[in-house]
C-alpha cells in the first residue's frame, strides 16, 4: 500500500504516515460531494453560516493540540500560537459577508414591465489543494467561502501537513456539517492529475509553486473547470525618505523572517531611498539579529527550521552566488546545525546586491533578504517591477497620496502602506504575472467560487 510520510524538520524523524486513498474511494468521494451539494445549495445562507461558525469553534477548541503538531510538521515555533487569530478573522468576515456577496444584483438600468437581475449560483464541487506554509489559513481562504456559496469541498492537503486535513475533517464532523459536503483525502500526485482531468470537479484552488500551477493547468485542460492559482512571489518593499524609520525596520524584519521567511507575501527584497539608506541598513541589521534560530517546540524560539532541507539548501546556493558576485552578508551567524542537507538555516541580510543575482529575482521563500539603495521613486518602481512575480508590495512613507501614486504603477495584486505580510479579508488576495490568477477573499472571492446566472423576466402582455 502506498503511503505518504511527514518527515519532521525538527529532528528528521517520521512524525506521521498515512495511506493514499484508493482510486475507487476518490471516485466515491466525488459522487458523495455531488449529491450533498445539490441539497446544500437549497439551504439558506444564514443556516450555512451556523455550520461554518460551529466548525470554527471546534477548530479553535483544538488549538492547544494543533500548535505543537504544526511545529513538528513544518517547523513554526509554538510561541506564535498557530494560525488561530487569522483563521478566526477570515472565517467570521467571510461568513458575515456572504448574504451581501451572494444577494441578487439588479440590472443597472430599470425597464418598465421587466424584472432583470443577476444571481450567483454555486459552481458545484470545489477541489482545494492546500500548501504547508500556512496550512490552516490558506485552506480556510477557499473552504469557508466555497461552502458558504453553496458548493461542496474536497481537500487535498500538502504532504508536509497532512494532519491539518484531518483537523479540518474532525472540526466539520463535530459541527454536524451534512455528510459529503467536506471531505479530506490523502492523494498522490498522479491521482490529483487524474481527478483534475476527469471533468468531475468544477473548480480547483491551488497554492504552491509556478511549476505546480502549470501542471494543474495542463491536467485540467479541456475540462473547462475554473482555476484559482496563487503561485510564486518575490515581494518588494520601498522605504521613502519621510518614513517612520523604527516602525519600518521592525515590521520589515518581521515580514522577512517570520515563519522562517516561508510566507507567500514575505518580504524578499527591500529598496531604500538613498537619503535614509545608511540609517535603515544599520537599524535593520541590528533588528535582524533578534531573529535567532532554535527548536520550534521550545517556547523561547522565535525562528524554527525550514520545512524541508532542500528549501534551505536552495537559499544557501542563492547566498553563495550573491557573495561570489560581490554582495556582503551582514549576519553570518555560526550555527552547528547550518550545513548542507539541514533544514536549520539562520537569518541573513545582504547588501551590495543587484538584479543579476538570483536572490533578488527568484523566489527564496526563506530567511534571507537583499537591500538595495535607490535614487528616487522611478528607480524603485522599475526595480520592484523587474520580477516575474507580483503578489504584494509595501510602501513605507507618511504620505498616503504618494504611496497610492507609486502603488498604482507597481505590478502587483495588493499594495500595502506601512505594513506587510497581512491578508485583508475585505479586499482580495490575488497576483499578477507568474504569481497566478483568480482571487480569494472579499466580494471577488465569492465571485470566483460562483457562476453568474441572469434573469430576464417580462411581465405578461
Amino acid at each position: 500500500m502506498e503511503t505518504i510520510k511527514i518527515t519532521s524538520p525538527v529532528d528528521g524523524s517520521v512524525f506521521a504516515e498515512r495511506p493514499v486513498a484508493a482510486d475507487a474511494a476518490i471516485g466515491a468521494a466525488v459522487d458523495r460531494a455531488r449529491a450533498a451539494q445539490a441539497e446544500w445549495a437549497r439551504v439558506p445562507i444564514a443556516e450555512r453560516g451556523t455550520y461554518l461558525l460551529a466548525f470554527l469553534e471546534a477548530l479553535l477548541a483544538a488549538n492547544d493540540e494543533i500548535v505543537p503538531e504544526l511545529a513538528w510538521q513544518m517547523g513554526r515555533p509554538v510561541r506564535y500560537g498557530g494560525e488561530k487569530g487569522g483563521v478566526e478573522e477570515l472565517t467570521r468576515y467571510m461568513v458575515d459577508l456572504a448574504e451581501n456577496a451572494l444577494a441578487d444584483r439588479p440590472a443597472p438600468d430599470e425597464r418598465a414591465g421587466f424584472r432583470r437581475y443577476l444571481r450567483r449560483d454555486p459552481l458545484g464541487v470545489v477541489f482545494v489543494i492546500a500548501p504547508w506554509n500556512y496550512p490552516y489559513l490558506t485552506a480556510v481562504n477557499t473552504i469557508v467561502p466555497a461552502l458558504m456559496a453553496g458548493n461542496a469541498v474536497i481537500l487535498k492537503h500538502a504532504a508536509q501537513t497532512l494532519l491539518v486535513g484531518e483537523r479540518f475533517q474532525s472540526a466539520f464532523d463535530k459541527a454536524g456539517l451534512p455528510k459529503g459536503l467536506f471531505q479530506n483525502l490523502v492523494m498522490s500526485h498522479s491521482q490529483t492529475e487524474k481527478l483534475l482531468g476527469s471533468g468531475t470537479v468544477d473548480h480547483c484552488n491551488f497554492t504552491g509553486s509556478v511549476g505546480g500551477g502549470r501542471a494543474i493547468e495542463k491536467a485540467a485542460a479541456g475540462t473547462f473547470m475554473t482555476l484559482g492559482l496563487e503561485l510564486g512571489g518575490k515581494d518588494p518593499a520601498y522605504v521613502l525618505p519621510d518614513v517612520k524609520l523604527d516602525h519600518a525596520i521592525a515590521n520589515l524584519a518581521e515580514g522577512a523572517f517570520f515563519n522562517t521567511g516561508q510566507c507567500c507575501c514575505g518580504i524578499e527584497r527591500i529598496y531604500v531611498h538613498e537619503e535614509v539608506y545608511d540609517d535603515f541598513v544599520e537599524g535593520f541589521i541590528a533588528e535582524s539579529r533578534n531573529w535567532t534560530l532554535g527548536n520550534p517546540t521550545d517556547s523561547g524560539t522565535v525562528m524554527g527550521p525550514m520545512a524541508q532541507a532542500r528549501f534551505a539548501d536552495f537559499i544557501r546556493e542563492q547566498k553563495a552566488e550573491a557573495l561570489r558576485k560581490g554582495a556582503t552578508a551582514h549576519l553570518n551567524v555560526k550555527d552547528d546545525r547550518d550545513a548542507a542537507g539541514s533544514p536549520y538555516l539562520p537569518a541573513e541580510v545582504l547588501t551590495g546586491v543587484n538584479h543579476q543575482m538570483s536572490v533578488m529575482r527568484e523566489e527564496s521563500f526563506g530567511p534571507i533578504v537583499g537591500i538595495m539603495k535607490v535614487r528616487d521613486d522611478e528607480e524603485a518602481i522599475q526595480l520592484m517591477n523587474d520580477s516575474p512575480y507580483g503578489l504584494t508590495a509595501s510602501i513605507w512613507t507618511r504620505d498616503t497620496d504618494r504611496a497610492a501614486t507609486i502603488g498604482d504603477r507597481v505590478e502587483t495584486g495588493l499594495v500595502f502602506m506601512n505594513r506587510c505580510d497581512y491578508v485583508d479579508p475585505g479586499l482580495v488576495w490575488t497576483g499578477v504575472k507568474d504569481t497566478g490568477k483568480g482571487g480569494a477573499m472579499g466580494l471577488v472571492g465569492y465571485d470566483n467560487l460562483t457562476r453568474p446566472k441572469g434573469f430576464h423576466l417580462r411581465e405578461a402582455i
Side-chain angles (χ1 to χ4, degrees), residues 400-411:
T400 304
D401 290 339
R402 188 174 178 183
T405 298
I406 294 169
D408 193 48
R409 296 177 58 195
V410 177
E411 297 163 354

Side-chain angles (χ1 to χ4, degrees), residues 125-131 135-136 138-144 146-147 152-158 168 182-185 187 192 195-196 201 203-207 216 225 228 449:
V125 178
V126 172
F127 185 32
V128 177
I129 305 176
Y136 286 92
T138 52
V140 159
N141 283 355
T142 301
I143 292 170
V144 169
L147 289 168
V153 173
I154 292 174
L155 172 65
K156 176 203 175 296
H157 222 296
F168 274 104
F182 175 88
Q183 296 171 84
N184 173 58
L185 297 176
M187 300 171 62
T192 301
L195 179 57
L196 288 167
V201 294
H203 177 84
C204 176
N205 186 272
F206 169 76
T207 304
I216 284 171
M225 70 187 298
L449 291 165

Side-chain angles (χ1 to χ4, degrees), residues 171-397:
F172 277 119
D173 291 346
K174 289 177 180 176
L177 190 73
K179 298 295 183 184
L181 277 179
F182 175 88
Q183 296 171 84
N184 173 58
L185 297 176
V186 178
M187 300 171 62
S188 66
H189 289 306
S190 62
Q191 289 175 321
T192 301
E193 291 177 357
K194 183 178 178 181
L195 179 57
L196 288 167
S198 69
T200 60
V201 294
D202 302 291
H203 177 84
C204 176
N205 186 272
F206 169 76
T207 304
S209 68
V210 174
R214 291 195 175 110
I216 284 171
E217 283 201 322
K218 182 177 179 181
T223 66
F224 307 122
M225 70 187 298
T226 54
L227 296 174
L229 304 173
E230 188 208 317
L231 309 174
K234 193 71 182 173
D235 289 11
Y238 173 35
V239 180
L240 279 75
D242 67 342
V243 66
K244 191 175 186 299
L245 202 59
D246 290 348
H247 175 266
I249 286 169
N251 281 272
L252 284 171
E254 181 173 356
F257 302 127
F258 184 79
N259 205 36
T260 320
Q262 299 168 129
C263 302
C264 299
C265 57
I267 296 297
E268 297 209 0
R269 50 199 176 110
I270 303 174
Y271 305 101
V272 184
H273 195 282
E274 60 186 7
E275 292 182 21
V276 291
Y277 177 82
D278 290 339
D279 288 341
F280 178 86
V281 169
E282 180 181 0
F284 191 85
I285 292 169
E287 180 69 25
S288 298
R289 294 190 192 282
N290 296 323
W291 288 87
T292 53
L293 188 61
N295 186 315
T297 64
D298 295 339
S299 61
T301 294
V302 296
M303 198 177 83
M306 298 193 70
Q308 294 183 24
R310 63 187 177 93
F311 303 150
D313 283 344
F314 175 74
I315 294 173
R316 291 183 180 105
E317 293 170 5
Q318 282 192 319
K319 177 180 174 180
E321 183 225 27
L323 295 180
R324 287 195 303 271
K325 292 182 176 180
T328 298
H330 291 273
L331 300 186
N332 276 318
V333 175
K334 300 300 180 183
D335 191 301
D336 291 340
R337 295 164 294 188
D338 177 19
S342 168
Y344 284 88
L345 182 71
E348 187 58 273
V349 177
L350 302 176
T351 59
V353 291
N354 58 52
H355 278 223
Q356 283 68 55
M357 300 173 183
S358 168
V359 76
M360 293 302 286
R361 298 200 76 251
E362 292 301 321
E363 183 173 36
S364 302
F365 215 63
I368 190 168
V369 62
I371 307 176
M372 283 184 68
K373 182 191 297 185
V374 296
R375 295 182 303 275
D376 51 28
D377 296 353
E378 288 298 321
E379 185 179 13
I381 292 167
Q382 184 274 321
L383 289 168
M384 285 193 281
N385 287 340
D386 184 27
S387 169
Y389 309 109
L391 181 59
T392 78
S394 65
I395 300 165
W396 301 78
T397 176

